[in-house]
Amino acid sequence: CKWLHISAPRLCKEALIDASPRAMAEQQAEGAVAPPAAAAAVPEAQPATAEAPTTDKHLPAPELAWTGKFAGGIRADMKRRYPYYLTDFADAFRNGNLQISVASVLFLFFACISPALAFGSLFSEATEGQIGVVETILATAICGVLYSLFSGQPLCIMGATGPEYAYTVVFYSMCEALEIEFLTARVWQGLWAALFTA
C-alpha cells in the first residue's frame, strides 16, 4: 500500500482486513475462497507425550558445541565449507559478476594502498628507516590475503592506523633507550600478540 496515493488509506485498510486470518476463515466458511495449499499440507499437531524429547533453546547449536578435540570446531567448519570454497572464488567471474568484482578489487586496492603509503612514510621517519613504505605495503598485502582466506569475520582493519603509528613511535623510543634492536623486539612483540589473539 506504500505506492498508493495518500488519499487512499481506506483502500489499504480494506486490503489488510481482507487478508487477515479471521476474514480468510470467514470467506472459506462461505466457500468464497479455497483453503491455501500450504495450510492443507500442514499435519495436525500430535498431543505431547511423556516420551517426547525436550530441547533447551539455550543450548548451543550442534556445530558450536565443544568437540573435545584440538581445533575440532575449525576442522568441522572447514569440512562443512569445503564444497563451497571453489565457488566462493569462481562466482566472481560468472553470471555477469566480473564488472562488479573488478570494481570492488580496484576500490579495495586504492583503499588499502593509500594508508600504507601514508603511514609507511611516517613509520620511515619515526624509525629512522627501519620500517618504511615497502615494508608497510608488504605487511598489508600479506596479512590482508591470509586474513581473507582464513578468517571467520571480515570486520577487521588490516592496515596501519593512527594508534599503530603512535605505538610504533613509543616502542621504537623504548628500544632506543634500552639499547635493544628494534626489529628483533618488534618480531617478538608480534609473536607475543599473535599468541594471545590466535
Side-chain angles (χ1 to χ4, degrees), residues 21-101:
R22 184 186 306 168
M24 299 228 8
E26 290 172 0
Q27 291 174 358
Q28 287 174 6
E30 295 171 4
V33 176
V42 175
E44 292 184 17
Q46 300 294 328
T49 61
E51 294 84 25
T54 59
T55 58
D56 188 1
K57 64 181 180 180
H58 299 292
L59 291 176
E63 59 268 6
L64 298 177
W66 171 256
T67 63
K69 300 175 184 173
F70 177 73
I74 293 174
R75 286 189 285 166
D77 190 39
M78 290 179 78
K79 283 181 191 175
R80 225 177 6 260
R81 290 289 309 156
Y82 181 74
Y84 307 106
Y85 278 137
L86 181 61
T87 60
D88 286 346
F89 293 96
D91 286 346
F93 305 104
R94 295 184 186 152
N95 302 328
N97 292 334
L98 184 61
Q99 183 179 4
I100 296 169
S101 299

Side-chain angles (χ1 to χ4, degrees), residues 153-167:
Q153 57 91 18
L155 300 176
C156 185
I157 298 171
M158 292 307 303
T161 60
E164 171 66 20
Y165 172 70
Y167 174 79

